[in-house]
Amino acid sequence: MKFALSFFSILVLIIAGTLFFQYHAYSSDLEAGGGSFHYSQEIEIVYRENSLDIRQHFKNLPNQKVKIKWPEKAVNPSCFIENEKSCDRLSEEVSYFAKGEIKSQSVSYIIPIEGGLKNKMLLQNIFATLINGEASYSIVHISTDSKVEGQWVTGLPLVGQQKLALVNYVMFSGYGTVHDVYWQAGGLTPQEKTPVISIYAQQAVSQDFLKALENIQFLNDEHIAIIQEKSPVKSHDDRLLFLPTLTVEAVEQEVILSQIKSQFTFEDVPEWLLEVMASYLVNDVIGTDKAKKIVQTLNDYMTASQQQAWQDALKNMGDEPITLATMDQHLSQVLGTDVKTSYFTLNAAQEQGTYPLLFEDARSVYVDGTQREDVHVILYEGQTLYTADTLLPYLGYSVGEGEHGYYVNSDNRTFRFPQEHGFYVFNQRRYSTISEPIIKIADRYYVEEAWLQRLFLVELRKEDKQIQVSMQEQQ
């Protein structure tokens, strides 16, 4: 037993030492003073009965006070004496590392697992992190009793695994951090590893599938583990993906969307917006029918130079929180018109189908001298349109959709506008038209500007910052 444990310890030290020696040149220039910083880490996990015993070694710490954020379930957080200086900077209450020249510190803690390991168990946010710090490189060792058989998965590349006399051992290492660890008993095994993805499945994957994966353009090189699972886990680390079936399309879409979520910050946006953004960043339309229709609409309208400018704008969003409003703002700037668009905002409000690409006149609208914020003017397919539902009531009409068209009525003037029939009815008399006075776009009705003046007897005066709508004196 002592020989097996000694052999296991020596193996861990050799592999870890080699990896960190190779990484030293990369990490030496990552230290940032006084604020945010990068560090590297090595994590040793031993599963004993109903808990994970964790030793975490932080490397390349900055010469500044660094607060520690412990996992919520952590028990007995304390120093781990790896050498005579491995705890010199750790505060008595183990809440921070004090300022100091020593770059490596070690801690230990326990994560209880109620009832022990269970098949298909996802252990989330189980590692300590450093406030304002980002792990640039991570190594994870996991050991279990030799009787506990199964597969561990993290988002890091798998380096190797061994079955020894007393323990089963697995090791992962790679750039970036790690938050979650997944355990599955049974036949789940690593099938293929590329610089970007690792695939874990019950059965071997085809060579045609693997060859097709080589042609996918991903957003970055951060590694992701793909686990074939009929009942995908809904909430998980961005570096773990659970797919019921392994197809090229599913892998491409889910990996890219996961990379989008980790690379950018989104605030209250629908999933299709991420798909639209991803389509432009990888030059390949992916996602739902709605996302594909939106991309097609934009591409049909944009010139080649505008498409390139739009793609560049998306790439350069950086740490800026991405909302529907910011997407509309960037789109308006790229299209370079004198008006703005709320294309993404309108599509978010449109549950079924898509909303067309409209441009809005930014000028305020006044009706008989009073500003009316709910009246909007849009430009659509060469026409200037006013929101009929909000404008016409200010002119003394009741409006509404009926069985045979759109109805506009006042005390002595009544209109009915059938959609796309080439006529309208005024005071029970039918008049033929070449164009439509009232147009329905998505779920809203608009009145065309020339018809507004002709039928509803108004005068328009357009100025730099406002549009004046006034009633004519009726004879």
Side-chain angles (χ1 to χ4, degrees):
M1 177 175 178
K2 289 183 179 179
F3 173 78
L5 288 174
S6 299
F7 174 77
F8 168 71
S9 300
I10 293 172
L11 177 66
V12 170
L13 289 172
I14 292 174
I15 297 176
T18 302
L19 284 168
F20 267 98
F21 178 78
Q22 293 174 340
Y23 179 65
H24 177 73
Y26 171 84
S27 62
S28 60
D29 62 347
L30 289 176
E31 180 179 327
S36 61
F37 59 93
H38 292 81
Y39 63 93
S40 54
Q41 61 180 350
E42 183 174 8
I43 303 171
E44 303 172 64
I45 305 171
V46 178
Y47 173 67
R48 293 190 177 93
E49 298 181 351
N50 296 337
S51 68
L52 299 177
D53 291 1
I54 299 178
R55 299 170 181 174
Q56 191 164 354
H57 311 280
F58 298 100
K59 315 281 185 176
N60 200 46
L61 293 174
N63 185 8
Q64 66 187 55
K65 180 179 177 180
V66 177
K67 293 184 179 180
I68 305 170
K69 182 179 180 181
W70 295 101
E72 291 185 3
K73 296 181 179 180
V75 176
N76 298 330
S78 62
C79 157
F80 175 70
I81 304 177
E82 184 181 28
N83 56 57
E84 60 181 9
K85 295 183 178 181
S86 62
C87 299
D88 282 7
R89 293 178 58 179
L90 185 62
S91 64
E92 291 184 4
E93 67 277 18
V94 296
S95 62
Y96 66 89
F97 294 124
K99 182 178 180 180
E101 296 289 343
I102 302 172
K103 293 184 176 294
S104 300
Q105 294 286 276
S106 300
V107 297
S108 66
Y109 49 97
I110 296 173
I111 301 293
I113 302 177
E114 186 176 353
L117 278 180
K118 301 177 183 63
N119 186 32
K120 300 180 182 180
M121 174 173 275
L122 180 65
L123 301 167
Q124 296 185 284
N125 297 311
I126 60 172
F127 302 121
T129 56
L130 304 181
I131 303 299
N132 294 328
E134 180 181 349
S136 296
Y137 197 90
S138 300
I139 295 177
V140 177
H141 312 268
I142 307 178
S143 303
T144 58
D145 186 278
S146 59
K147 297 179 181 178
V148 181
E149 296 188 359
Q151 182 65 52
W152 291 99
V153 183
T154 73
L156 300 171
L158 173 66
V159 175
Q161 50 191 357
Q162 279 190 317
K163 290 185 177 181
L164 303 177
L166 299 177
V167 296
N168 293 329
Y169 166 73
V170 60
M171 179 180 177
F172 306 88
S173 72
Y175 296 105
T177 190
V178 58
H179 299 287
D180 300 350
V181 174
Y182 178 74
W183 162 263
Q184 182 168 324
L188 184 70
T189 55
Q191 300 293 330
E192 182 68 18
K193 182 178 70 173
T194 74
V196 179
I197 58 175
S198 292
I199 297 175
Y200 297 82
Q202 299 281 347
Q203 298 178 346
V205 295
S206 70
Q207 290 300 312
D208 290 341
F209 172 74
L210 297 176
K211 186 175 181 180
L213 293 182
E214 297 176 359
N215 298 322
I216 297 177
Q217 178 184 349
F218 296 111
L219 289 180
N220 55 57
D221 295 331
E222 186 170 270
H223 195 271
I224 292 177
I226 298 174
I227 303 156
Q228 185 176 20
E229 173 52 51
K230 293 182 179 179
S231 301
V233 178
K234 293 182 179 180
S235 177
H236 51 78
D237 185 350
D238 288 339
R239 302 188 70 170
L240 294 175
L241 287 179
F242 297 83
L243 298 180
T245 56
L246 292 177
T247 65
V248 176
E249 293 77 12
V251 170
E252 177 184 28
Q253 176 168 317
E254 294 305 318
V255 170
I256 291 173
L257 289 179
S258 179
Q259 292 177 332
I260 280 276
K261 292 175 183 177
S262 63
Q263 186 171 335
F264 299 95
T265 301
F266 296 91
E267 291 184 1
D268 194 25
V269 299
E271 187 74 10
W272 58 257
L273 187 139
L274 278 68
E275 297 168 350
V276 169
M277 189 168 177
S279 297
Y280 282 101
L281 294 180
V282 299
N283 291 315
D284 188 13
V285 180
I286 65 172
T288 58
D289 289 341
K290 183 163 186 171
K292 294 176 181 178
K293 181 66 181 297
I294 288 173
V295 171
Q296 185 65 48
T297 298
L298 292 176
N299 287 343
D300 288 345
Y301 184 87
M302 291 179 180
T303 64
S305 60
Q306 287 174 331
Q307 288 187 31
Q308 184 61 55
W310 175 236
Q311 187 179 49
D312 293 341
L314 296 179
K315 289 180 180 178
N316 294 327
M317 284 190 174
D319 296 330
E320 169 193 0
I322 298 174
T323 65
L324 293 165
T326 58
M327 290 289 285
D328 285 328
Q329 179 183 355
H330 284 290
L331 181 59
S332 298
Q333 293 172 349
V334 166
L335 296 180
T337 62
D338 295 330
V339 292
K340 69 184 184 72
T341 181
S342 298
Y343 185 56
F344 292 103
T345 300
L346 291 171
N347 269 291
Q350 186 77 15
E351 294 184 2
Q352 301 296 328
T354 59
Y355 210 92
L357 179 60
L358 308 175
F359 297 97
E360 306 158 28
D361 194 314
R363 288 175 288 188
S364 302
V365 178
Y366 288 77
V367 182
D368 289 331
T370 303
Q371 183 178 355
R372 303 299 185 180
E373 294 184 357
D374 58 346
V375 178
H376 304 286
V377 182
I378 67 169
L379 305 179
Y380 178 62
E381 295 185 346
Q383 296 176 297
T384 301
L385 307 174
Y386 294 70
T387 48
D389 290 338
T390 56
L391 173 58
L392 296 179
Y394 291 130
L395 302 177
Y397 295 90
S398 62
V399 299
E401 189 175 35
E403 182 179 358
H404 299 292
Y406 187 72
Y407 294 81
V408 181
N409 300 319
S410 67
D411 292 340
N412 55 5
R413 296 166 61 80
T414 63
F415 295 87
R416 178 170 65 88
F417 300 95
Q419 290 296 296
E420 299 179 357
H421 286 284
F423 73 91
Y424 69 92
V425 177
F426 170 58
N427 286 349
Q428 307 303 316
R429 185 174 179 178
R430 174 171 168 163
Y431 295 85
S432 297
T433 65
I434 298 176
S435 61
E436 296 291 333
I438 298 290
I439 300 171
K440 186 177 184 181
I441 301 175
D443 58 350
R444 302 192 69 176
Y445 284 92
Y446 295 86
V447 55
E448 193 274 330
E449 185 175 74
W451 284 106
L452 171 66
Q453 295 172 284
R454 184 182 310 166
L455 297 180
F456 301 106
L457 309 177
V458 302
E459 293 181 353
L460 299 177
R461 187 171 74 253
K462 297 184 177 182
E463 302 173 2
D464 289 342
K465 295 185 178 181
Q466 62 186 29
I467 299 174
Q468 296 280 357
V469 182
S470 58
M471 294 285 294
Q472 297 177 1
E473 291 188 10
Q474 301 182 21
Q475 302 296 325

